[in-house]
Amino acid sequence: MNSNVPEYFGSMVFNEDVMRERLTPEVYDALHVAMETGGGLTIDIANAVAAVMKDWAIEKGATHYTHWFQPMTGITAEKHDSFLRPDKNGHPIMSFSGKGLIKGESDASSFPSGGLRATFEARGYTAWDPTSYAFVKDGSLYIPTVFCSFSGDTLDAKTPLLRSMQALSEQAVRLMRICGNRDVNRVVPMVGAEQEYFLIDKEMYDRRPDLIYTGRTLFGAPSPKGQKSDHHYYGAIKPRIMAFMQELDTELWKLGVFSQTKHNEAAPAQHELAPFFENANAAVDHNHITMEYLRKTAEKHGLVCLLHEKPFASVNGSGKHDNWSICTDTGVNLLDPGNTPAENAQFLLFFSAVIKAVDEYQDLLRLSVATRSNDLRLGGNEAPPAIISIYVGEVLEHIIEKLVAKEEYEPDEEHDIKLGVSALPSFPRDSSDRNRTSPFAFTGNKFEFRMLGSSLNVANPTATLNTIVAEELRKFADKLEAAEDFDVALNRLIRHTLRDHKRIIFGGNGYSKEWVEEAKRRGLSNYATTADVLPHFTDEKNVELFTRHGIYTVQEMNSRREISLATYASNVRIEAKTMVDMVRRNYLPAIGRYTAELDRALQLSGGRAKRATFDRLIALEDSAFDTVTALEAAVADYTAVNVADSEELARKLCDKVIPLMDTLRETVDEAEKLMPASDWPFPSYGDIMFKI
Ligand code: ADP
Ligand code: MG
């Protein structure tokens, strides 16, 4: 392994250094204006960039290029075209035009559109996003793009993210101007996405249809050794896993991903990778690359990487932490408390905007992480609860108490500094005592949104966060703009905001039963499942929010709601059908064979042990048969054809089908414990998690 990382870091990326070295100053400048303002490029400039990009990509071994985009499937999509074409004389030449760089046309008819795309117009467009660098991998030049329909409706996850970054920047800069700041022209949300995953042996994986079809085990009795007794967390990494991690790091570094931390996680066979944070757009793209390389690199090592939120019942699931802060183009993190009273005041202003945003849009944050697979994790005893609350740490909680207690602003000649936030003691940064049970924690100079599932596209929760905060900053700016006495108004604004939204702040144990009760008393929402929360996407206040900031049109929101509901329904149905298949074709026959064997043995010799096992297994067999019959019928009933309304279909699957699945699993898992290991059709939890 080459340990000279700085030498090859980003070597496959068409990054700043390459651009400066290879583009003419004129082209370089024009491109950067477009990157910073989001404006377009003239065709001449685009042609010049494309030609240079192509030559560079060919040097890196590329023969093809692809527009790389994020349709609403949750994963990325690509279609490769070679640079190759015949010249006038039929000789092969390698060419790449500005048009090919900027815009791609694709058949969008197989991507989810939620009814946006009229059937007669199946075309979709991809358009270059020059704010995320192009890169070469697997012999192709990858060009990050947005994806929209022929009529301009967005069909992807990147467009709303970029729009939300713009909205956040506009409102933050506006607010800072009102506060007297003249230097800042842009603010950028910064994101660090910590990624959890499982690694299991490919051979085990191949023998489990549930893993293959659904990404998780739908059956499996707990192994004798669970995770409690295990010392896996931060434990020494096995050589086979280390070899995988080293190769992964090298590949990611070449692609400009700042992979930084790696360690074993709490569950057996579970691990984590954390990158260094960067601007939200790049962070999202890099998380996609990371997930892809986790999978690919695993295969090379005879392993399979499970990114599912809950691959195994009874051990921890996998999440993703969206570490989020706001940074100015002058390099100041607006969520850093700073050292001076003025910095403290600026911090408190932005901090209280986030508090208010999270309180007012609990539903949207919950919604942004809502998937069938994440439902299996949220609210469990190891994952953040489904209730949104914010942990701010003891020091800040104390400061907030003090600020709120002072009912009205009283000028205090002696202690008042310009911004009038005299009640503040100096701010020790409190990032040590972290409450791991909180779904949304302030950790020193950033917020950590911990409800994301491990397979989720970070774009959606990040765009939501950007937008709801932009909205509160807008309201703040409106208030302060109209103020007669700025200092008094600022003081009052921070104080009243914290007072009115204190209910969202919670420092206790988020996993406890008492918290559920307490949250209810506080009036916080608690959406246990995806089916509960998805319909709220198009609530009036949410439509008002997203349309005001130009993130979505009403139509786009309706389409997204439809897609999410349909995806949920489809995922539940695939799980149910896989269960039916496994029970009918594997589990019942296996139990049947063994009980027949016991029956013969009993006739020969009798025996209490055999009798008890036989009786219990026969009961379980009958019960599994009844449940699987009911489940099969329910799956046949609750289809998109029979239940046309997608909200109702999701509801039905959640209320009628999932409970049957749970019962079926319990029954089969109990049988597993009574059956000879050699007669059980699939590898056990112990085999999968510990034999690696
Ligand atoms: P941990 O939560 O594992 O103890 P850290 O809090 O140091 O570790 O970092 C977790 C993640 O947060 C990393 O990906 C890191 O790059 C990211 N991070 C650190 N500072 C910021 C920031 N200001 N904005 C966004 N992300 C950040
Ligand atoms: Mg963390």
Side-chain angles (χ1 to χ4, degrees), residues 190 192 194 275-277 323 325 333 434 436 445-446 448:
M190 306 300 277
E194 298 166 79
F276 201 80
F277 66 99
N323 292 272
S325 64
N333 176 358
R434 303 193 187 168
R436 289 282 161 191
N445 62 354
K446 64 182 193 294
E448 196 167 330

Side-chain angles (χ1 to χ4, degrees), residues 543-662:
V543 172
E544 156 80 25
L545 169 83
F546 283 122
T547 54
R548 178 194 290 279
H549 292 277
I551 314 298
Y552 300 118
T553 62
V554 180
Q555 258 194 72
E556 287 169 347
M557 289 188 73
N558 287 329
S559 93
R560 266 159 220 256
R561 182 179 180 276
E562 282 306 300
I563 292 170
S564 304
L565 285 165
T567 305
Y568 175 80
S570 154
N571 288 343
V572 175
R573 287 174 48 77
I574 291 170
E575 287 187 347
K577 287 202 268 186
T578 305
M579 286 185 106
V580 169
D581 190 68
M582 289 171 80
V583 170
R584 283 220 187 281
R585 298 175 57 220
N586 300 94
Y587 288 125
L588 284 177
I591 298 171
R593 276 191 299 274
Y594 181 54
T595 45
E597 195 183 303
L598 279 177
D599 195 19
R600 278 193 299 278
L602 275 167
Q603 282 169 29
L604 287 175
S605 63
R608 270 194 302 123
K610 278 197 279 292
R611 167 61 57 194
T613 308
F614 176 82
D615 287 347
R616 187 67 196 131
L617 277 175
I618 289 290
L620 291 169
E621 186 185 15
D622 286 348
S623 153
F625 176 77
D626 292 343
T627 315
V628 82
T629 308
L631 180 59
E632 205 169 22
V635 172
D637 280 350
Y638 303 129
T639 63
V641 175
N642 292 346
V643 188
D645 181 73
S646 52
E647 183 181 341
E648 194 189 329
L649 178 61
R651 191 70 274 154
K652 285 274 184 333
L653 289 163
C654 183
D655 296 343
K656 307 281 183 210
V657 170
I658 290 177
L660 286 172
M661 290 166 59
D662 292 343

